[in-house]
Amino acid sequence: MTPAFDTLLVEVDGRIGRLTLNRPDKLNPLSTHTLRELAEAAHWFDTQRDVRVVVVSGAGRAFSAGADISSFGEDPSNDALSPRDSAETGWLMARAFEQMRAVTIAAIWGPCIGGGVVLAAVCDLRIAATDTYFSIPEVDLGIPLAWGGIPRLVRELGPAITRELVMTCRPFSADEARALGFLNRVVAAESVMAEAGQLAADLAQKSALALYASKTGVNAALEAMAPASAAWSDADSLVAALGDPESRRLGNEYLRRVRKEASGENPSDRHG
Ligand code: COA
């Protein structure tokens, strides 16, 4: 039976699975709960022997606005998880996705931010709409890009551009992401799901063994280039940053600006 999740939709149609982030009113943020559900869904797909390809997307107008900032600044002792366990959920999610048996295709449109970029990066193939808005604002939030995001972006984009995008937090477009090699295809917004569906259908006809061997072969080569497994300590950097006074002050100033803009006060063009 297909499992029910609070923040995700999971479907299977023959050899093709679909996983949809499903909090469209909040632009599909990645709360600790969602991260745990994503890891659980990835493990569930691994038990579905018929599923060869999984299309990953977001409901509504966003892929994902990244880490759930509504809980930023809350007392971590209110969480059922320890601060470190909570900080580690993103890394565990990314690992579960990267290691999924099925080939994963990210179908991306609208905002794809922070942890959303990491989620896209741990999918095997990426198709995005021309209107996709990428950014990695963690450093502006006073935290490092965690969840194993750095080695994965270094692998996909190269070190110089990873430094620039992560340190400056400047947004980047689908065309730039395609030119950098992060995206396989850029298509009109209304064609993204059809394009991803067609690619999934084409792949689903191929030998499951040959697909899996190709996927794990690429992953093994990537792991040798810059191991994401070594980013286990990302959770420690995250916990340290959440306790660092200067990081908190600057991060809170940034959050106040973002929230003011969202409420219409002091509006500015956040889409760069
Ligand atoms: N976590 C939780 N809620 C989020 C969110 C996030 N990361 N991003 C957006 N939302 C919520 C907003 O609070 C808003 O909720 P509301 O309607 O109840 O007020 C809703 O999603 C729509 O967001 P809004 O800001 O009105 O949409 P927009 O199109 O004007 O702007 C963004 C889109 C993505 C540019 C903007 O929402 C944003 O900057 N979000 C924060 C991104 C971020 O810093 N993520 C953390 C990465 S580490």
Side-chain angles (χ1 to χ4, degrees):
M1 210 176 67
T2 314
F5 292 101
D6 298 330
T7 63
L8 310 176
L9 288 176
V10 165
E11 300 156 272
V12 171
D13 180 9
R15 295 178 174 182
I16 299 176
R18 287 200 178 73
L19 188 155
T20 311
L21 295 160
N22 195 29
R23 283 184 68 205
D25 55 326
K26 299 290 180 190
L27 309 183
N28 305 318
L30 301 173
S31 64
T32 303
H33 182 59
T34 300
L35 293 169
R36 293 174 94 184
E37 291 202 324
L38 280 167
E40 221 178 291
H43 293 312
W44 180 79
F45 275 119
D46 283 343
T47 66
Q48 304 305 298
R49 300 307 297 178
D50 289 342
V51 175
R52 297 179 185 195
V53 186
V54 175
V55 177
V56 180
S57 63
R61 64 185 174 92
F63 181 71
S64 169
D68 191 332
I69 57 172
S70 64
S71 57
F72 274 34
E74 281 178 8
D75 182 352
S77 60
N78 292 334
D79 202 315
L81 294 176
S82 74
R84 194 191 184 284
D85 283 350
S86 179
E88 195 178 40
T89 51
W91 183 76
L92 292 171
M93 176 284 291
R95 189 178 61 172
F97 257 71
E98 199 165 66
Q99 293 179 353
M100 260 168 85
R101 195 178 42 78
V103 175
T104 46
I105 303 173
I108 309 167
W109 56 83
C112 177
I113 300 187
V117 177
V118 178
L119 176 58
V122 290
C123 290
D124 299 307
L125 298 160
R126 293 161 218 126
I127 298 176
T130 46
D131 73 349
T132 308
Y133 163 80
F134 291 101
S135 84
I136 307 171
E138 272 79 351
V139 167
D140 278 345
L141 281 158
I143 54 177
L145 175 67
W147 306 1
I150 297 279
R152 292 186 172 103
L153 292 183
V154 166
R155 292 172 340 195
E156 301 290 331
L157 304 170
I161 197 74
T162 296
R163 284 188 203 99
E164 181 189 333
L165 297 176
V166 168
M167 291 182 191
T168 66
C169 306
R170 76 161 170 84
F172 52 108
S173 67
D175 283 342
E176 182 176 1
R178 171 84 179 96
L180 292 168
F182 187 65
L183 297 174
N184 297 88
R185 299 178 194 173
V186 177
V187 299
E190 59 276 16
S191 309
V192 177
M193 276 315 265
E195 192 82 11
Q198 188 56 56
L199 180 58
D202 292 347
L203 292 173
Q205 297 311 312
K206 299 183 191 294
S207 147
L209 180 75
L211 284 177
Y212 182 60
S214 306
K215 170 170 177 154
T216 52
V218 171
N219 280 355
L222 290 171
E223 220 18 49
M225 283 164 67
S229 51
W232 178 83
S233 57
D234 274 10
D236 300 314
S237 317
L238 206 46
V239 171
L242 291 170
D244 177 61
E246 186 194 36
S247 303
R248 288 294 20 91
R249 181 174 58 74
L250 292 172
N252 288 336
E253 280 171 22
Y254 172 81
L255 265 180
R256 272 196 294 278
R257 278 200 306 279
V258 168
R259 285 175 178 150
K260 262 188 193 164
E261 285 166 11
S263 70
E265 259 181 88
N266 185 25
S268 69
D269 181 12
R270 264 174 292 153
H271 296 261

